[in-house]
Amino acid sequence: MRTFTTFDEVAAAAGEELGTSAWVEITQERVDTFADATGDHQWIHVDAERSAEGPFGGTIAHGYLTLSMVPWLGSEVFALDTPGAKLNYGVNKVRFPNPVRVGKRVRAHVAMGEVTDLPAGKQITLRYTIEIEDEAKPACVAETVVLLLA
């Protein structure tokens, strides 16, 4: 794991690959819990019997479940221990090129994007690719934005 303790360290890492998280299995329990939290109980996510006959041959994770795992998976790769608050500022781009079937494992590849000076600190972009084990296309590609306040 890479730990950044100063704004200078963060700025020096612009454009660098930061690393890869451990694999984590996407279980039906995780999908069902997400469905309950969001109210999205579409059958392709929660109905194993019906989805077995559907387009993916079984239940799949919500795209936004995969996206919601980005901060946690990223925390296995890097830490921002800079002074001041750290704020999720937004997401510039998100795509879900490949569904994650329940029972598959995913992991995150993380790269530092641009680091921009702000009057209150730094703005950084982070590029995440959520890979599915044994599949060529990723589950999610996202560019997130974080504010590091002084």
Side-chain angles (χ1 to χ4, degrees):
M1 160 143 29
R2 185 154 176 200
T3 301
F4 297 95
T5 59
T6 69
F7 288 169
D8 289 340
E9 290 174 348
V10 172
E16 289 185 19
E17 293 288 327
L18 300 181
T20 304
S21 73
W23 291 105
V24 62
E25 182 180 352
I26 301 301
T27 64
Q28 189 63 54
E29 178 182 13
R30 183 184 298 267
V31 171
D32 291 344
T33 300
F34 189 83
D36 289 342
T38 61
D40 182 354
H41 292 93
Q42 187 179 170
W43 62 270
I44 62 173
H45 304 304
V46 299
D47 187 336
E49 189 174 304
R50 183 175 178 193
S51 59
E53 302 299 321
F56 307 110
T59 52
I60 61 169
H62 305 73
Y64 284 112
L65 167 57
T66 305
L67 181 62
S68 77
M69 294 174 68
V70 160
W72 173 60
L73 292 170
S75 73
E76 293 192 348
V77 176
F78 73 98
L80 297 169
D81 287 340
T82 54
K86 293 107 185 118
L87 303 173
N88 289 322
Y89 189 60
V91 181
N92 289 338
K93 301 175 192 174
V94 178
R95 295 291 182 268
F96 303 107
N98 197 10
V100 180
R101 291 186 312 267
V102 167
K104 289 293 225 168
R105 297 191 321 160
V106 298
R107 67 180 179 182
H109 295 279
V110 186
M112 182 78 70
E114 291 183 43
V115 178
T116 308
D117 290 326
L118 300 175
K122 298 276 188 196
Q123 176 177 296
I124 65 174
T125 58
L126 295 155
R127 292 186 309 270
Y128 290 87
T129 302
I130 309 301
E131 173 185 3
I132 306 169
E133 190 173 37
D134 299 324
E135 296 199 22
K137 288 174 45 177
C140 178
V141 179
E143 182 180 274
T144 66
V145 183
V146 175
L147 298 180
L148 304 178
L149 303 180

